[in-house]
Amino acid sequence: MNLQETTVWVGDLLPAPPRITTRRVNQGFPEFTVADVAVGGAGEDGAVGGAGEDGAVGGAGEDGAVGGASPAPADAQPAETVAVTLDAARIDPGLVTDDGSDLRVELITVTSGHSRAAADLVTAAATMIAQDPHQRPPRPGLILPDLGWHVDEKMTAKHGLLVPPFLWEDGVPHVHEVDFGGRHGGGGHHDWTHPGRMTVVAQLVMLTDAEFATATGQGLGAVQRQLTEAEVNLNDVWR
């Protein structure tokens, strides 16, 4: 899919019309296009924090706050920000599906509060993957150590982990494109059809140092049990 097609697809997955921005972790790193939506709560203007003047990602405000939201009624939905990449699928990690389709991945995350952290985190994750996609293929179980450091040095859940998305009840969102002219196109003179390209969404969650130690020392099953038993709010990256 091109950027316009991906934007339409992702827009249908999000709870409200998103804001679209182009971001990068710093000068000299690749740019990524990100859609983000503020949901729940009530900020001063309901807006999500943006990138800096140079498009670089950043962290909390001068007082260390990450939201700036006004108090909400007790029964209101918690203030959260959802962010998803729109062009991380341009990264070719060499992954294939069972039927031989090229597998590409967009990244989504949710953070507590109305802030720029969610958009900055998926940008940083896409950047880290792009640096060596064959060593860091974007599939469930990939750990991205110290990812949060690129966003906010005060972030306590600073290690990234990719998991199958748990935001939708009907499974992992995906789009399967088939090229009837063969893998590289070229018209109808081919008498075969490449299985095509599958684009899916992977969810980024953030782990604290203790959770990261469990994941790397005892495995992902152990950290999943730890998080479940403690009823950890994975969206709170400053927990």
Side-chain angles (χ1 to χ4, degrees):
M1 293 185 291
N2 59 32
L3 179 59
Q4 181 178 4
E5 292 167 335
T6 305
T7 301
V8 172
W9 174 54
V10 168
D12 289 339
L13 300 176
L14 295 175
R19 184 189 60 158
I20 310 298
T21 57
T22 301
R23 296 167 178 260
R24 57 186 171 190
V25 297
N26 213 328
Q27 295 290 339
F29 288 90
E31 290 185 336
F32 289 95
T33 308
V34 177
D36 60 357
V37 175
V39 296
E44 293 180 0
D45 57 5
V48 179
E53 294 181 0
D54 61 355
V57 302
E62 294 180 0
D63 60 356
V66 299
S70 303
D75 59 348
Q77 179 182 354
E80 296 175 332
T81 304
V82 184
V84 57
T85 58
L86 298 177
D87 52 6
R90 72 177 189 255
I91 302 169
D92 183 2
L95 299 175
V96 296
T97 64
D98 290 341
D99 70 355
S101 297
D102 296 329
L103 183 62
R104 303 297 178 90
V105 181
E106 298 293 351
L107 306 174
I108 191 168
T109 198
V110 183
T111 59
S112 299
H114 292 168
S115 77
R116 59 189 293 165
D120 289 352
L121 282 170
V122 293
T123 301
T127 301
M128 187 175 287
I129 291 167
Q131 289 177 325
D132 196 343
H134 293 278
Q135 290 297 317
R136 297 192 188 102
R139 57 189 174 196
L142 175 67
I143 295 177
L144 301 170
D146 296 316
L147 176 69
W149 180 86
H150 299 283
V151 174
D152 180 2
E153 294 181 2
K154 298 179 181 179
M155 187 175 291
T156 50
K158 61 183 179 181
H159 308 287
L161 171 66
L162 293 190
V163 300
F166 46 82
L167 302 175
W168 299 276
E169 295 181 353
D170 53 353
V172 179
H174 64 277
V175 173
H176 192 191
E177 303 167 274
V178 176
D179 183 352
F180 290 98
R183 180 170 186 172
H184 300 292
H189 64 279
H190 297 289
D191 59 2
W192 56 275
T193 300
H194 183 264
R197 186 169 107 169
M198 177 82 76
T199 303
V200 300
V201 178
Q203 186 165 348
L204 173 70
V205 299
M206 302 300 292
L207 305 178
T208 63
D209 285 338
E211 294 157 358
F212 173 75
T214 300
T216 55
Q218 302 177 42
L220 297 180
V223 75
Q224 183 178 8
R225 289 190 296 273
Q226 176 182 333
L227 295 170
T228 301
E229 291 171 0
E231 298 183 345
V232 171
N233 178 9
L234 289 173
N235 299 340
D236 181 7
V237 296
W238 284 273
R239 62 181 183 273

